Amino acid sequence: MVEYLPRSAWNARPPKAGPGNLTVSRVEGAVIHWPGTGSTSVIHSQAAVASALRGWQDYHMDSRGWSDIAYQVAVDQAGRAWTLRGLRTQSGANGDNDVNERYGAILLVLVTGEQPSAALKATTRAVIADFRKLYPRGTAIRPHSAVRPEPTDCPGDPARAAIARGEFTPGHSEDDDMTPAQMQELKNFIEARSQAYALWVHKQLRRDLSGVIRAYALDIKNYERQTDAADAARAAAAVWATAPKSLQVDGTPNQDPETPDPNTDPAPADPDLDPFPPVDTTPAQ
């Protein structure tokens, strides 16, 4: 919630008869301004801002012949909000009468080349949120240079850039504020970390899979050796149990050198082909 300093805080003069209140149905948004003094001397303290506001009011009323200081609200670098004409009263700052009827006017107390502070931007967002409560259709946020019929550099390059980045839009977080260079640096960092992680996962999976394949292949070979030896012994015993008597001596099998001994396990034969292709055991680099 914004706490607006009253007109008495800057010792404002009473306004003359002016244009009256804005029409809710006509308002399209808020326009951002700056004083455009051409000076680089900052206006930061409360006393300095109050003095500057009185000077701008004198200029607008005495030199320009306007009814009051031209803007509705001012926001300074410390985040203070100052009541000028007030959000309901039509401004005289945007250009011709048509533009003033369609837009509000918020003054940022900035000097040439000065970047808007986080406090200024936060308060400006809150002021615009209040503005939108009064004028629900007035959602646009535009620099003065975008609406004034005659050319102007108002509200200066830093404020224009902040508008383009959405830094005056209600709901925007200062944590989101990043320069294009910072955004690119963050993008490069994320891409590099993603690639490094993908490579690490690939190496880990390859190493783990190679170990599984080697262990499985060894288990298969051992199983085949044991199974082949046992099957051969059982087959030999069965053959000799049913052999003709002529092949037996005193009831025991004839021990022909070429005849296998059923009680002796034959040497296991290596399979003709490995069940798996050879595995590269070279450590991954």
Side-chain angles (χ1 to χ4, degrees):
M1 180 177 178
V2 183
E3 294 185 7
Y4 295 89
L5 294 172
R7 288 173 62 92
S8 60
W10 54 282
N11 197 24
R13 293 163 54 182
K16 300 176 183 178
N21 290 345
L22 288 168
T23 302
V24 173
S25 61
R26 288 210 64 189
V27 176
E28 299 176 13
V31 169
I32 304 298
H33 295 257
W34 72 333
T37 62
S39 171
T40 58
S41 298
V42 298
I43 308 171
H44 288 178
S45 72
Q46 185 165 344
V49 176
S51 176
L53 292 175
R54 287 194 300 273
W56 296 328
Q57 184 189 42
D58 289 344
Y59 172 72
H60 289 172
M61 295 180 71
D62 299 337
S63 299
R64 304 299 296 269
W66 296 342
S67 63
D68 197 355
I69 189 170
Y71 317 99
Q72 294 176 304
V73 173
V75 181
D76 64 27
Q77 287 282 58
R80 292 178 288 254
W82 301 76
T83 301
L84 305 184
R85 291 192 179 192
L87 291 177
R88 296 184 183 275
T89 303
Q90 179 179 312
S91 84
N94 293 325
D96 59 27
N97 190 60
D98 175 65
V99 179
N100 286 329
E101 288 179 346
R102 292 189 291 117
Y103 291 97
I106 299 173
L107 173 67
L108 307 183
V109 185
L110 299 172
V111 299
T112 301
E114 188 175 16
Q115 292 290 336
S117 69
L120 180 147
K121 289 184 284 187
T123 298
T124 303
R125 289 194 294 270
V127 170
I128 291 176
D130 286 348
F131 184 87
R132 289 178 175 181
K133 291 177 183 177
L134 295 174
Y135 311 102
R137 297 176 59 185
T139 57
I141 303 172
R142 308 188 69 182
H144 187 204
S145 56
V147 302
R148 178 174 168 159
E150 298 84 18
T152 178
D153 64 349
C154 180
D157 291 338
R160 254 194 306 273
I163 294 170
R165 291 192 297 265
E167 294 174 8
F168 296 126
T169 302
H172 178 87
S173 171
E174 283 297 305
D175 293 337
D176 298 333
D177 293 345
M178 299 183 72
T179 66
Q182 290 172 327
M183 289 290 290
Q184 186 61 46
E185 183 179 357
L186 177 60
K187 179 181 177 182
N188 293 342
F189 173 76
I190 292 174
E191 290 179 350
R193 287 300 298 267
S194 298
Q195 292 174 0
Y197 179 71
L199 180 60
W200 179 83
V201 169
H202 174 76
K203 289 183 176 180
Q204 286 295 114
L205 290 177
R206 180 178 178 183
R207 184 180 298 113
D208 294 345
L209 183 60
S210 297
V212 169
I213 291 175
R214 285 195 298 271
Y216 184 66
L218 182 60
D219 287 345
I220 286 293
K221 289 181 178 180
N222 290 336
Y223 175 78
E224 288 177 344
R225 291 191 185 99
Q226 295 170 7
T227 302
D228 290 347
D231 287 348
R234 286 192 294 270
V239 168
W240 289 113
T242 58
K245 297 294 184 181
S246 60
L247 296 179
Q248 300 183 15
V249 178
D250 299 330
T252 59
N254 185 5
Q255 300 299 318
D256 188 273
E258 297 181 356
T259 302
D261 183 353
N263 296 317
T264 303
D265 290 340
D270 289 334
D272 292 334
L273 296 173
D274 283 342
F276 293 95
V279 177
D280 181 10
T281 59
T282 303
Q285 299 298 317

